[in-house]
Amino acid sequence: SNFSRPFPVGHHNQHISVEAVAVEAGRAPMSTSNIRLASTMMISGRGASSIFSSGSRGATRSLVTARHLLAAAPTSSSYSSSSTMAEKPSATTVYMKAGPDGKSRGDCPFAHSVVFGLNLKNVEHETVPCVQDTKPQWLLDEVQGKMPCVLYNKEPHVETMDILEWMEGQFAEPALAAPQGTPDEVKSGFGLMPAIAKFTANTDESKDEELKQNLLDALTKLNEHLKATPGGFLCGEKPTIPDVALLPKLFMMEIVTPHFKNFGLKDVPDNGPLMDYYEKGTSLPAFQAGVYEKEFSIKGWGDKRAS
């Protein structure tokens, strides 16, 4: 399959060279023998920092710690690293929110959109769910830790809509661009995400009816658009970027909003086109390959409502 393959946090599939370790430590490259000695000391439970000094800088100081090093292969100049020190992988990789276990794919509709788009484009890729403590250092340094982040040819891309537009330019087929003249309301997803979030997260009963009506209005606009648009998707017979952005949000809504508010797509009047669209879009293999555990979403929104 060309669809995404989970790449668990903590899986040491990346390596760091002797020179890279030295740069991390802030000095000139260290000898292979010192690296091996540090690894031996780490395995034996002793610190490695005492064997290195700043040398040319004229002052002795600790430069590396044993936790930064793994055992060295005798015939290789590469050394496995922790996820936070790892070099950028060469494979196309999506960094995304992790679930409550810190390893599984989390309940982020934006990451879901990115994976959905890559799958539709048949782009083989890895996925790396992260919590704050397991984000690689380059992610923190280069894009302030923003996720989802697509790493392609070792260049990071962030912001979901920017990623989808970049994806369209980078991978020509199949085309996902919305046709020229597509209304801005369609491209912006009918304002559904803020309406879903405000209503679902609200715990002030005095505001519930207004927030519910705002969500119903947005869903009704979507339903009316689908009625007037033959083909079953927002722009016709095939999914486009507006669908890739919107369907994961509806998927999230159908998990959490009925759970907390007893309201969902079924409550939209004359909802045949809307329900058909939802079923058709979310049943696509490219969509299903990016789904997460529903319990993760319920827990996340429950925590948000309690905060």
Side-chain angles (χ1 to χ4, degrees):
S1 171
N2 284 333
F3 294 155
S4 59
R5 300 191 300 274
F7 186 52
V9 171
H11 176 77
H12 301 297
N13 194 40
Q14 297 145 324
H15 293 84
I16 186 162
S17 67
V18 172
E19 288 76 15
V21 173
V23 168
E24 181 69 20
R27 56 160 288 166
M30 298 177 291
S31 68
T32 302
S33 60
N34 274 352
I35 289 288
R36 290 175 182 166
L37 176 57
S39 300
T40 302
M41 294 175 74
M42 179 195 69
I43 293 168
S44 67
R46 293 179 289 151
S49 61
S50 61
I51 67 170
F52 303 119
S53 68
S54 58
S56 61
R57 298 189 182 184
T60 301
R61 62 185 176 90
S62 173
L63 293 172
V64 295
T65 60
R67 70 176 179 273
H68 290 156
L69 304 169
L70 294 176
T75 59
S76 173
S77 62
S78 295
Y79 300 87
S80 297
S81 71
S82 69
S83 61
T84 55
M85 276 190 65
E87 289 182 335
K88 293 177 180 177
S90 56
T92 301
T93 306
V94 183
Y95 293 81
M96 59 175 62
K97 173 185 176 183
D101 61 1
K103 298 178 181 179
S104 303
R105 185 176 292 161
D107 63 318
C108 177
F110 305 105
H112 195 173
S113 287
V114 169
V115 171
F116 184 19
L118 287 170
N119 289 341
L120 286 172
K121 289 281 190 180
N122 295 307
V123 178
E124 187 172 342
H125 59 281
E126 311 284 1
T127 59
V128 180
C130 298
V131 296
Q132 186 63 29
D133 289 344
T134 60
K135 290 179 181 180
Q137 191 61 44
W138 66 261
L139 185 69
L140 300 171
D141 292 342
E142 296 184 29
V143 293
Q144 296 77 52
K146 290 180 181 178
M147 298 188 299
C149 174
V150 176
L151 192 70
Y152 178 75
N153 285 343
K154 299 195 176 185
E155 288 294 323
H157 300 270
V158 294
E159 304 296 347
T160 304
M161 293 309 298
D162 291 344
I163 292 171
L164 295 178
E165 294 294 342
W166 162 80
M167 196 184 300
E168 181 64 10
Q170 185 66 46
F171 309 106
E173 298 295 335
L176 296 178
Q180 197 167 17
T182 299
D184 288 342
E185 187 175 54
V186 175
K187 292 181 180 179
S188 64
F190 301 89
L192 271 163
M193 188 61 195
I196 294 167
K198 289 177 182 178
F199 178 51
T200 306
N202 180 57
T203 56
D204 182 348
E205 291 186 4
S206 68
K207 298 179 180 179
D208 245 17
E209 283 305 314
E210 178 185 356
L211 295 173
K212 179 179 177 180
Q213 188 61 50
N214 290 342
L215 176 54
L216 181 58
D217 290 347
L219 288 168
T220 299
K221 289 179 183 178
L222 169 59
N223 193 46
E224 292 300 316
H225 172 79
L226 291 166
K227 281 182 186 178
T229 307
F233 288 102
L234 291 177
C235 299
E237 296 181 354
K238 296 180 180 179
T240 57
I241 286 176
D243 300 290
V244 174
L246 181 59
L247 281 164
K249 296 167 186 172
L250 294 178
F251 178 77
M252 176 199 71
M253 176 192 147
E254 282 294 271
I255 296 170
V256 297
T257 310
H259 180 85
F260 291 109
K261 297 292 189 178
N262 195 30
F263 177 86
L265 298 181
K266 63 180 178 57
D267 297 299
V268 177
D270 193 19
N271 64 5
L274 178 58
M275 297 304 297
D276 289 345
Y277 170 67
Y278 181 78
E279 292 300 326
K280 184 174 184 177
T282 60
S283 65
L284 291 171
F287 183 94
Q288 284 294 315
V291 300
Y292 45 83
E293 295 292 336
K294 294 181 178 181
E295 290 78 9
F296 293 174
S297 210
I298 291 170
K299 182 184 186 308
W301 282 87
D303 292 345
K304 185 176 295 190
R305 286 169 52 84
S307 63

